[in-house]
């Protein structure tokens, strides 16, 4: 990684109060490339001391940042955005090295991350208040929108840049300051954007990054320190529950973007070729490692065989390879435990009567690579139907009627994203309304953008990121009654 054009982007220390810091006890942890197993570097291992220091810094910085004119905050955010864009190639190479996704996808992620800075810098200037009529003649009532305060962001490894930028951009636009803890597998992208924040003029303490090998200690402090007023988490439902419990004692605001179990419904009246392209985008992007990935393909019986065969055919075009190699579409999985989980789900389904129609095994490209897989005759009782696969495996189940499709789709504790393909307008409305999900895509396999409210219902979480609603999560309403004004 020494060949980065801007070598300063490869940072190994924590970023606290505008300074690069090693951990107080001098410990570090190693981060390696999932495609090759090669060491990328050793990163400062933060714990209680560094996390407290970061909260101190964020707390001190808050007064100034919160009262700065919104337009001035926005200007700094635009500069930060410009730096992300002008360094997109290097940031993408860093991201591919630590996370594995193909370089083109990594570059797309960096630009997507930058788009949150654009969106929220613009929104910062539109944080409007309200006035409303009062009962008396000598009073006036207002509603102010004010920043929540110091916020904590705990982010995952599957989008090391974009998941952080989505939180950071909203927080900073609102006037909040942030302490971010990136995932232990992918701290470099977060540290790189911290360097660019500094260069853009984000004041010391406004944006802090505390990497850690073991997230529990840092998480404990972030969720228990009373000065942290909001925790925004993206990750598994299991860890979300822990962080919610921990945040209860100090009654923090929380945003939780948790696991999903997205259905992808194909009705017999769908444009099947369009559905196949949507399936590829929604299932195989990032090697199937996104929380909005289609997890269960529900296909109407009359078109089930055709859909399966077309899908298998299309999969043969997806090149499994190292993310930095030409033409790679499916990169490695993040680590051995992710691979073991996929192997377990496929094995259990196959043992219970499902049929592996293509793939179903590790690829010989490298240790952590898994072949794009199609498995059909899946049943609702199987673990592959119930659990988030998080890998390049399409599980197919067939259904008879529209009512069956909706029932199967909603038969899960999760409620993040859902997709369906139909050309019937009436069905489009009916099914769109009946799906118990925070996000629904009709005739499309991709639905994220900075202008859309991203988030789930049921055990997929609470709160929304992106869009004007994403800013609301970082703002408190203050009812301000002014009395004694005279008549
Ligand atoms: P995944 O299963 O996709 O790896 P996790 O929910 O385990 O997702 O991790 C998402 C983020 O949550 C990562 O930054 C990870 O370090 C962090 N994390 C995991 N466990 C805890 C915890 N107990 N406290 C705080 N953060 C945690």
């Amino acid at each position: 990684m020494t060949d980065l054009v801007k070598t300063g982007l490869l940072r190994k220390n924590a970023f606290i109060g505008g300074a690069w810091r090693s951990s107080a006890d001098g410990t570090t942890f190693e981060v390696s490339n999932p495609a090759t197993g090669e060491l990328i570097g050793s990163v400062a291992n933060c714990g209680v001391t560094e996390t407290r220091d970061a909260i101190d810094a964020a707390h001190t910085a808050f007064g100034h940042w919160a009262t700065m004119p919104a337009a001035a905050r926005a200007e700094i955010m635009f500069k930060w955005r410009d730096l992300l864009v002008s360094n997109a190639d290097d940031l993408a190479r860093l991201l591919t090295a630590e996370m594995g996704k193909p370089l083109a996808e990594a570059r797309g992620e960096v630009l997507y991350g930058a788009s949150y800075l654009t969106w929220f810098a613009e929104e910062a200037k539109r944080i409007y208040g309200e006035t409303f009529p009062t009962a008396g003649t000598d009073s006036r009532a207002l509603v102010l929108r004010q920043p929540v305060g110091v916020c904590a962001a705990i982010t995952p490894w599957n989008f090391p840049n974009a998941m952080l930028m989505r939180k950071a951009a909203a927080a900073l636009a609102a006037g909040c300051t942030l302490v971010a803890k990136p995932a232990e597998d992918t701290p470099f992208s977060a540290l790189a954007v911290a360097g660019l924040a500094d260069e853009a003029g984000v004041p010391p303490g406004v944006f802090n990054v505390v990497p850690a090998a073991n997230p529990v200690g840092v998480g404990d402090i972030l969720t228990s320190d009373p000065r942290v007023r909001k925790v925004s988490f993206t990750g598994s439902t299991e860890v979300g529950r822990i962080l919610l419990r921990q945040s209860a004692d100090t009654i923090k605001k929380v945003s939780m973007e948790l696991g999903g179990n997205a259905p992808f419904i194909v009705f017999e009246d769908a444009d099947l070729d369009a559905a196949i392209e949507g399936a590829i985008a929604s299932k195989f992007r990032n090697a199937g490692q996104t929380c909005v990935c289609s997890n269960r393909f529900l296909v109407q019986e009359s078109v089930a065989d055709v859909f399966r065969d077309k899908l298998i055919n299309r999969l043969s075009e997806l090149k499994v390879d190292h993310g930095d190699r030409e033409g790679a579409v499916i990169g490695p999985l993040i680590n051995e435990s992710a691979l073991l989980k996929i192997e377990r789900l496929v094995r259990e389904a196959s043992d219970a009567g499902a049929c592996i129609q293509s793939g179903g095994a590790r690829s010989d490209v490298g240790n952590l690579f898994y072949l794009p897989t199609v498995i059909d005759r899946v049943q609702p009782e199987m673990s592959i139907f119930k659990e988030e696969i998080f890998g390049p495996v399409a599980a197919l189940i067939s259904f008879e009627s529209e009512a069956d499709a909706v029932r199967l789709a909603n038969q899960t504790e999760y409620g993040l994203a859902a997709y369906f393909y139909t050309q019937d307008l009436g069905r489009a409305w009916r099914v769109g309304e009946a799906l118990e999900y925070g996000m629904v895509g009709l005739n499309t396999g991709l639905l994220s953008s900075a202008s859309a409210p991203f988030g789930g219902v049921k055990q997929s979480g609470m709160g929304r990121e992106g869009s004007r609603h994403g800013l609301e999560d970082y703002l408190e309403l203050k009812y301000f009654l002014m009395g004694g004004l005279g008549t």
Side-chain angles (χ1 to χ4, degrees):
M1 291 313 301
T2 49
D3 57 346
L4 289 180
V5 175
K6 192 162 182 161
T7 45
L9 287 175
L10 185 65
R11 293 285 186 174
K12 296 174 182 171
N13 282 332
F15 187 66
I16 298 172
W20 296 100
R21 293 245 318 254
S22 51
S23 67
D25 62 6
T27 57
T28 58
F29 64 102
E30 295 187 341
V31 178
S32 48
N33 181 328
T36 60
E38 282 164 19
L39 180 71
I40 303 171
S42 296
V43 176
N45 185 20
C46 295
V48 173
T49 309
E50 297 76 20
T51 310
R52 288 229 168 89
D53 288 351
I55 296 171
D56 285 348
H59 190 245
T60 305
F62 176 68
H64 171 59
W65 184 249
T67 51
M68 189 184 267
R73 286 202 303 270
E75 273 316 305
I76 294 173
M77 292 175 66
F78 283 130
K79 277 193 200 133
W80 194 11
R81 183 269 319 269
D82 290 345
L83 286 168
L84 255 72
V85 172
S86 60
N87 287 286
D89 288 336
D90 286 346
L91 291 170
R93 285 158 69 196
L94 197 54
L95 206 162
T96 293
E98 66 177 343
M99 191 273 150
K101 71 178 62 177
L103 211 43
E105 271 189 48
R107 195 169 192 284
E109 180 184 335
V110 172
L111 299 180
Y112 174 52
S115 77
Y116 282 98
L117 284 168
T118 310
W119 173 266
F120 283 115
E122 289 164 350
E123 286 296 294
K125 295 179 272 185
R126 299 182 188 94
I127 302 175
Y128 300 123
E130 297 165 28
T131 62
F132 60 92
T134 53
T137 52
D138 72 338
S139 60
R140 297 290 183 275
L142 302 91
V143 178
L144 309 181
R145 284 193 157 78
Q146 295 183 308
V148 166
V150 175
C151 299
I154 299 178
T155 54
W157 50 263
N158 60 346
F159 288 89
N161 179 295
M163 295 304 96
L164 175 60
M165 297 318 298
R166 183 150 82 180
K167 298 181 193 307
L172 268 56
C176 297
T177 55
L178 193 73
V179 178
K181 193 213 74 65
E184 49 277 23
D185 288 309
T186 57
F188 289 116
S189 292
L191 294 170
V193 298
L196 297 176
D198 193 32
E199 196 176 329
V202 173
V206 170
F207 179 74
N208 308 275
V209 180
V210 285
N214 178 353
V216 175
V218 176
D220 270 348
I221 305 295
L222 291 177
T223 50
S224 63
D225 191 308
R227 294 170 301 171
V228 175
R229 294 309 320 138
K230 175 184 166 68
V231 174
S232 178
F233 171 68
T234 299
S236 61
T237 297
E238 196 186 352
V239 172
R241 287 190 191 104
I242 295 171
L243 297 174
L244 266 174
R245 280 191 207 107
Q246 290 179 184
S247 300
D249 286 342
T250 46
I251 317 286
K252 296 191 196 315
K253 278 171 93 80
V254 286
S255 296
M256 295 273 145
E257 202 270 274
L258 308 177
N261 184 0
F264 186 106
I265 311 172
V266 182
F267 288 102
E268 59 193 0
D269 58 57
D271 174 339
L272 284 190
D273 291 327
I276 293 292
E277 288 317 305
I280 296 292
S282 104
K283 174 76 249 184
F284 294 96
R285 188 169 56 106
N286 211 14
Q289 304 172 104
T290 84
C291 48
V292 291
C293 262
S294 295
N295 212 51
R296 300 166 293 151
F297 286 84
L298 315 179
V299 190
Q300 199 150 18
E301 242 168 32
S302 53
V303 293
D305 289 352
V306 185
F307 179 82
R308 179 200 59 213
D309 294 345
K310 278 179 182 275
L311 185 61
I312 292 170
N313 201 26
R314 182 70 175 78
L315 286 192
S316 61
E317 296 166 20
L318 306 186
K319 189 172 177 210
V320 180
D321 211 342
H322 293 224
D324 59 359
R325 291 190 186 155
E326 190 67 28
V329 178
I330 307 276
L333 294 161
I334 189 69
N335 53 36
E336 182 68 18
S337 70
L339 200 68
L340 290 173
K341 178 180 182 188
I342 292 160
E343 288 183 326
R344 171 179 65 79
L345 291 174
V346 170
R347 188 178 58 248
E348 285 175 3
S350 153
D351 288 350
C355 292
I356 298 169
Q357 298 285 2
S358 88
R362 294 188 185 214
S363 151
D364 54 15
V365 167
N367 273 344
L368 297 179
F369 292 81
Y370 197 83
L371 292 172
T373 296
V374 174
I375 179 162
D376 73 352
R377 298 200 211 155
V378 165
Q379 296 295 327
E381 302 72 37
M382 296 176 181
S383 46
I384 204 164
F385 182 94
K386 297 180 194 160
E387 294 180 34
E388 199 172 21
I389 302 170
F390 242 62
V393 177
L396 274 51
I397 179 167
S398 61
F399 68 85
E400 280 177 24
S401 65
E402 184 181 308
D404 286 342
V406 170
R407 183 182 46 76
L408 282 168
N410 289 339
Q411 194 175 319
T412 169
E413 68 198 22
Y414 296 108
L416 191 60
Y419 310 87
F420 69 110
Y421 276 71
T422 180
Q423 307 212 64
D424 177 323
L425 190 57
R427 174 171 276 165
W429 270 108
R430 287 192 302 274
V431 175
E433 287 181 354
L435 289 170
E436 297 165 356
Y437 287 84
M439 298 175 281
V440 175
L442 166 67
N443 295 332
T444 178
L446 294 174
L447 36 68
S448 307
S449 78
S451 50
F454 191 103
V457 299
K458 293 163 76 177
Q459 295 187 40
S460 287
M462 59 185 73
R464 292 294 180 268
E465 296 192 295
S467 81
R468 66 190 168 85
H469 304 285
L471 196 58
E472 291 296 328
D473 275 22
Y474 289 88
L475 294 165
E476 294 278 17
L477 294 185
K478 181 183 281 173
Y479 161 45
F480 184 26
L481 180 65
M482 303 173 72
L485 300 180
T487 50

